[in-house]
Each structure stands twice: as C-alpha cells, then as structure tokens.
Amino acid sequence: MTEIPEHLLKRSRDRKAAGGGSSDSGSEASVPATTTPAVPAPRAAAPEPVVSQAKPDPAYVAAAKKRGKIPHWAMATLALLPIFLFMYVRGLQPQKAEASGPIAMGIELYGACASCHGADGGGGAGRVFKGGESLKTFPHIEDMLNWVYAGTEAFSAAGVPTYGDPDREGGAHAPYSYNGSPMPAQGAKYGGALTEYEILGVVCHIRYDLAGADPAGDWAEEYEKWCSEESEIFLGLEDGSLTFDSPELEIGTDPRPGSPAGEMMGA
Ligand code: HEC
C-alpha cells in the first residue's frame, strides 16, 4: 500500500461532500450505481463557470459574437482557393514541348503548310493530303520524311525522277508534276526552317489527322513507332541521339526514290 497524502484525502472528502460522487478511487467503483454520473458532478460544482456567466460580455465581445462568421456564398469560393492556387502555380511553369508528342507539335506547326495545302489538307497551291492521298503517295513514312525534308528542287537537281511509291495508283509523283511549282524544302540542309523532329511532327499530323490513317487499325504499328507520344524515334530526334541520317531509320537527307507498299528500302 502507498500512503495517500493528507491533503489529497481532504480534497477527496470535500468533493464527496459537494457533489456526492467520486471518480478518485477504484475501490468505490460500485458507488455510481446509486448516484448520478460521477464525473460531471464535481465539475458542475466548480466555481469558475459561475463566475464567467455572471460577468456580462464587454460591448466589443458581444458585437463580435453577434456578427456573422463567413457567409455561405463566400464559403464555396474559399473552398476552391487551394485549387486556384495550384492551377496558378502550374501556369507559371513553362510547358515542355516534348511532353505533348509529335502530333500535338505537328498541329502547332501545320500553319506553315496550310497556306498551300489547305487547313484540312484539301489542297490548293500544293497537293491534296486528305482522303488517303498522302498514304497512297507514301505507304512508308520514311519516304515522306525524306521528301518533306528535301523538297522539289533538291529532288530535281539530284535527278531523282519520282518520289514516294513508284507504283502509285494514278502514276508516280514526279518533281514539278503537280502544277509546275516546287514544294519548298523544310530541312536545314536545303535552307528549310524546321528541325527533324518538327518535320516528323507535321508529317504525323498529316497522316493521322488529315489523310485519315487509323492509329488503332492498319497503321497501328507505324503509329506506335513514329507518331505516338511514346515514340522513341521522336524523342531521339529531339535529344539529338538520332538524325534523319541515322542508318537504322532509313530516312536520309539526300533526295532518293521511294519504295512501293509492302516493300522497304534495301529489302
Ligand atoms: C508554297 C507552297 C507550299 C508550302 C508552304 C508547302 N507545300 Fe508541300 N507541296 C507544294 C507543292 C507545289 C507540291 C507539289 C510538288 C511537286 O509537284 O514537285 C507539294 C507537295 C507536298 C507533298 C507531296 C504530296 C504528294 O502526295 O505528292 C507533301 C507530303 C508536302 N507537300 C508536305 C508539305 C508540308 C509538310 C508542308 C509544311 C511544312 C508543306 N508541304 C508546305 C507546295 C507547298
């Protein structure tokens, strides 16, 4: 047994006298059955609440209590504040172009082609893309990249008689065969303004958005490899680890004849 100091015993006796109940001692556990709940009783008897209730609030406290808190309509706005803040901070960070993939880049750059080829690829001063036309000329995307990079004048100067599929429906396309005007070179070697990954971007946009290649159907393999957001070729061209002249890509920056459907260069 430990000895209970006299002042604690006295406090316990005082409380019992005041409230009739006690929670101080485990040995009195049977007592609450006959009395009101033990804990609140002593508190009710404590002097402090009486004192604070007795004192009226000063005018400025009463005014503050009466005043409404945050109005309900403002609550809705305030609840969205963290989201606005998040969006604002996101907006301050510059967006990386490579995050959006070749097609998104091609959509942005297609303005350079639209003046001659039409916003929807319907043609004009330049040849028609839509309705599968570009896919007929270029069953292989490599040949289209080579053509757009070099343009009409380089093909003509190099003496390459046709570009794209030599067995094209309606006849192979030859330099200056459309309306006698040249297709301006887009690649740096011939004074063009587009980088190689940008050329891939516009070519992907033309094939999949304008000419109508189905990225989930017949063209799925090409799409995955060259034009999807995960395209390693696009990323490689962007970070410089690949170029149109990398042998494994079979593109080339020198004008060269294309290959028929179902057959690859060198095959
Ligand atoms: C100044 C007008 C003009 C602009 C700008 C232009 N092109 Fe052309 N494009 C032509 C002409 C003209 C031809 C036909 C060339 C020929 O007959 O030698 C052509 C042909 C093509 C072809 C071959 C189509 C086929 O089926 O034979 C492709 C692909 C092409 N252009 C892509 C592009 C892309 C991509 C751009 C933008 C980066 C672009 N062109 C910008 C005028 C233009």
Side-chain angles (χ1 to χ4, degrees), residues 238-253:
E238 202 173 36
D239 68 23
S241 60
L242 288 172
T243 75
F244 278 15
D245 285 320
S246 298
E248 68 267 37
L249 294 188
E250 299 191 323
I251 301 168
T253 55

PDB file of all heavy atoms in Angstrom, residues 238-253:
ATOM      1  N   GLU A 238      14.627  14.500 -81.042  1.00  0.00           N
ATOM      2  CA  GLU A 238      14.552  15.725 -80.239  1.00  0.00           C
ATOM      3  C   GLU A 238      15.821  15.911 -79.405  1.00  0.00           C
ATOM      4  O   GLU A 238      16.337  17.015 -79.291  1.00  0.00           O
ATOM      5  CB  GLU A 238      13.322  15.643 -79.332  1.00  0.00           C
ATOM      6  CG  GLU A 238      12.851  16.983 -78.868  1.00  0.00           C
ATOM      7  CD  GLU A 238      11.552  16.880 -78.113  1.00  0.00           C
ATOM      8  OE1 GLU A 238      11.360  15.886 -77.388  1.00  0.00           O
ATOM      9  OE2 GLU A 238      10.739  17.803 -78.235  1.00  0.00           O
ATOM     10  N   ASP A 239      16.318  14.807 -78.799  1.00  0.00           N
ATOM     11  CA  ASP A 239      17.505  14.988 -77.948  1.00  0.00           C
ATOM     12  C   ASP A 239      18.808  14.793 -78.732  1.00  0.00           C
ATOM     13  O   ASP A 239      19.902  14.866 -78.156  1.00  0.00           O
ATOM     14  CB  ASP A 239      17.439  14.070 -76.715  1.00  0.00           C
ATOM     15  CG  ASP A 239      17.575  12.580 -77.036  1.00  0.00           C
ATOM     16  OD1 ASP A 239      18.145  12.251 -78.095  1.00  0.00           O
ATOM     17  OD2 ASP A 239      17.123  11.764 -76.222  1.00  0.00           O
ATOM     18  N   GLY A 240      18.696  14.562 -80.039  1.00  0.00           N
ATOM     19  CA  GLY A 240      19.889  14.521 -80.881  1.00  0.00           C
ATOM     20  C   GLY A 240      20.574  13.158 -80.949  1.00  0.00           C
ATOM     21  O   GLY A 240      21.592  13.018 -81.624  1.00  0.00           O
ATOM     22  N   SER A 241      20.036  12.149 -80.259  1.00  0.00           N
ATOM     23  CA  SER A 241      20.668  10.825 -80.313  1.00  0.00           C
ATOM     24  C   SER A 241      20.364  10.112 -81.641  1.00  0.00           C
ATOM     25  O   SER A 241      20.992   9.118 -81.971  1.00  0.00           O
ATOM     26  CB  SER A 241      20.233   9.966 -79.122  1.00  0.00           C
ATOM     27  OG  SER A 241      18.831   9.779 -79.117  1.00  0.00           O
ATOM     28  N   LEU A 242      19.374  10.633 -82.392  1.00  0.00           N
ATOM     29  CA  LEU A 242      19.069  10.120 -83.732  1.00  0.00           C
ATOM     30  C   LEU A 242      18.976  11.305 -84.699  1.00  0.00           C
ATOM     31  O   LEU A 242      18.642  12.419 -84.282  1.00  0.00           O
ATOM     32  CB  LEU A 242      17.712   9.395 -83.730  1.00  0.00           C
ATOM     33  CG  LEU A 242      17.604   8.034 -83.034  1.00  0.00           C
ATOM     34  CD1 LEU A 242      16.147   7.595 -82.993  1.00  0.00           C
ATOM     35  CD2 LEU A 242      18.454   6.982 -83.744  1.00  0.00           C
ATOM     36  N   THR A 243      19.272  11.054 -85.978  1.00  0.00           N
ATOM     37  CA  THR A 243      19.036  12.068 -87.017  1.00  0.00           C
ATOM     38  C   THR A 243      18.440  11.349 -88.223  1.00  0.00           C
ATOM     39  O   THR A 243      18.433  10.112 -88.276  1.00  0.00           O
ATOM     40  CB  THR A 243      20.344  12.775 -87.466  1.00  0.00           C
ATOM     41  OG1 THR A 243      21.081  11.870 -88.299  1.00  0.00           O
ATOM     42  CG2 THR A 243      21.196  13.193 -86.273  1.00  0.00           C
ATOM     43  N   PHE A 244      17.939  12.133 -89.192  1.00  0.00           N
ATOM     44  CA  PHE A 244      17.391  11.521 -90.407  1.00  0.00           C
ATOM     45  C   PHE A 244      18.452  10.674 -91.119  1.00  0.00           C
ATOM     46  O   PHE A 244      18.113   9.801 -91.906  1.00  0.00           O
ATOM     47  CB  PHE A 244      16.848  12.606 -91.358  1.00  0.00           C
ATOM     48  CG  PHE A 244      15.452  13.081 -91.010  1.00  0.00           C
ATOM     49  CD1 PHE A 244      14.873  12.816 -89.775  1.00  0.00           C
ATOM     50  CD2 PHE A 244      14.696  13.793 -91.945  1.00  0.00           C
ATOM     51  CE1 PHE A 244      13.582  13.257 -89.467  1.00  0.00           C
ATOM     52  CE2 PHE A 244      13.410  14.228 -91.652  1.00  0.00           C
ATOM     53  CZ  PHE A 244      12.850  13.973 -90.417  1.00  0.00           C
ATOM     54  N   ASP A 245      19.720  10.949 -90.856  1.00  0.00           N
ATOM     55  CA  ASP A 245      20.781  10.171 -91.493  1.00  0.00           C
ATOM     56  C   ASP A 245      21.224   8.959 -90.678  1.00  0.00           C
ATOM     57  O   ASP A 245      22.112   8.220 -91.114  1.00  0.00           O
ATOM     58  CB  ASP A 245      21.978  11.078 -91.805  1.00  0.00           C
ATOM     59  CG  ASP A 245      21.717  11.983 -93.013  1.00  0.00           C
ATOM     60  OD1 ASP A 245      21.109  11.496 -94.000  1.00  0.00           O
ATOM     61  OD2 ASP A 245      22.091  13.167 -92.965  1.00  0.00           O
ATOM     62  N   SER A 246      20.629   8.732 -89.487  1.00  0.00           N
ATOM     63  CA  SER A 246      20.950   7.505 -88.749  1.00  0.00           C
ATOM     64  C   SER A 246      20.513   6.321 -89.609  1.00  0.00           C
ATOM     65  O   SER A 246      19.350   6.249 -90.021  1.00  0.00           O
ATOM     66  CB  SER A 246      20.193   7.458 -87.413  1.00  0.00           C
ATOM     67  OG  SER A 246      20.569   8.536 -86.590  1.00  0.00           O
ATOM     68  N   PRO A 247      21.444   5.384 -89.910  1.00  0.00           N
ATOM     69  CA  PRO A 247      21.131   4.306 -90.864  1.00  0.00           C
ATOM     70  C   PRO A 247      19.894   3.497 -90.470  1.00  0.00           C
ATOM     71  O   PRO A 247      19.118   3.094 -91.336  1.00  0.00           O
ATOM     72  CB  PRO A 247      22.385   3.428 -90.834  1.00  0.00           C
ATOM     73  CG  PRO A 247      23.424   4.153 -90.073  1.00  0.00           C
ATOM     74  CD  PRO A 247      22.821   5.306 -89.376  1.00  0.00           C
ATOM     75  N   GLU A 248      19.696   3.270 -89.159  1.00  0.00           N
ATOM     76  CA  GLU A 248      18.574   2.417 -88.747  1.00  0.00           C
ATOM     77  C   GLU A 248      17.209   3.054 -89.021  1.00  0.00           C
ATOM     78  O   GLU A 248      16.203   2.356 -89.072  1.00  0.00           O
ATOM     79  CB  GLU A 248      18.707   2.030 -87.264  1.00  0.00           C
ATOM     80  CG  GLU A 248      18.531   3.173 -86.267  1.00  0.00           C
ATOM     81  CD  GLU A 248      19.850   3.852 -85.875  1.00  0.00           C
ATOM     82  OE1 GLU A 248      20.727   3.989 -86.767  1.00  0.00           O
ATOM     83  OE2 GLU A 248      19.985   4.254 -84.708  1.00  0.00           O
ATOM     84  N   LEU A 249      17.172   4.354 -89.252  1.00  0.00           N
ATOM     85  CA  LEU A 249      15.871   4.993 -89.511  1.00  0.00           C
ATOM     86  C   LEU A 249      15.474   4.928 -90.990  1.00  0.00           C
ATOM     87  O   LEU A 249      14.300   5.084 -91.329  1.00  0.00           O
ATOM     88  CB  LEU A 249      15.880   6.451 -89.030  1.00  0.00           C
ATOM     89  CG  LEU A 249      16.002   6.664 -87.518  1.00  0.00           C
ATOM     90  CD1 LEU A 249      15.798   8.141 -87.177  1.00  0.00           C
ATOM     91  CD2 LEU A 249      15.002   5.811 -86.738  1.00  0.00           C
ATOM     92  N   GLU A 250      16.454   4.735 -91.881  1.00  0.00           N
ATOM     93  CA  GLU A 250      16.178   4.621 -93.322  1.00  0.00           C
ATOM     94  C   GLU A 250      15.403   5.811 -93.877  1.00  0.00           C
ATOM     95  O   GLU A 250      14.482   5.648 -94.684  1.00  0.00           O
ATOM     96  CB  GLU A 250      15.439   3.305 -93.626  1.00  0.00           C
ATOM     97  CG  GLU A 250      16.245   2.067 -93.245  1.00  0.00           C
ATOM     98  CD  GLU A 250      15.655   0.766 -93.769  1.00  0.00           C
ATOM     99  OE1 GLU A 250      14.412   0.647 -93.784  1.00  0.00           O
ATOM    100  OE2 GLU A 250      16.430  -0.124 -94.155  1.00  0.00           O
ATOM    101  N   ILE A 251      15.754   7.006 -93.419  1.00  0.00           N
ATOM    102  CA  ILE A 251      15.107   8.217 -93.948  1.00  0.00           C
ATOM    103  C   ILE A 251      16.062   8.880 -94.943  1.00  0.00           C
ATOM    104  O   ILE A 251      15.823   8.866 -96.145  1.00  0.00           O
ATOM    105  CB  ILE A 251      14.744   9.210 -92.826  1.00  0.00           C
ATOM    106  CG1 ILE A 251      13.806   8.564 -91.807  1.00  0.00           C
ATOM    107  CG2 ILE A 251      14.076  10.457 -93.425  1.00  0.00           C
ATOM    108  CD1 ILE A 251      13.625   9.369 -90.536  1.00  0.00           C
ATOM    109  N   GLY A 252      17.159   9.421 -94.434  1.00  0.00           N
ATOM    110  CA  GLY A 252      18.139  10.086 -95.286  1.00  0.00           C
ATOM    111  C   GLY A 252      17.759  11.520 -95.576  1.00  0.00           C
ATOM    112  O   GLY A 252      16.572  11.871 -95.628  1.00  0.00           O
ATOM    113  N   THR A 253      18.774  12.376 -95.715  1.00  0.00           N
ATOM    114  CA  THR A 253      18.515  13.778 -96.049  1.00  0.00           C
ATOM    115  C   THR A 253      18.830  14.060 -97.511  1.00  0.00           C
ATOM    116  O   THR A 253      18.535  15.143 -98.011  1.00  0.00           O
ATOM    117  CB  THR A 253      19.359  14.721 -95.152  1.00  0.00           C
ATOM    118  OG1 THR A 253      20.742  14.355 -95.278  1.00  0.00           O
ATOM    119  CG2 THR A 253      18.936  14.600 -93.697  1.00  0.00           C
TER     120      THR A 253
END
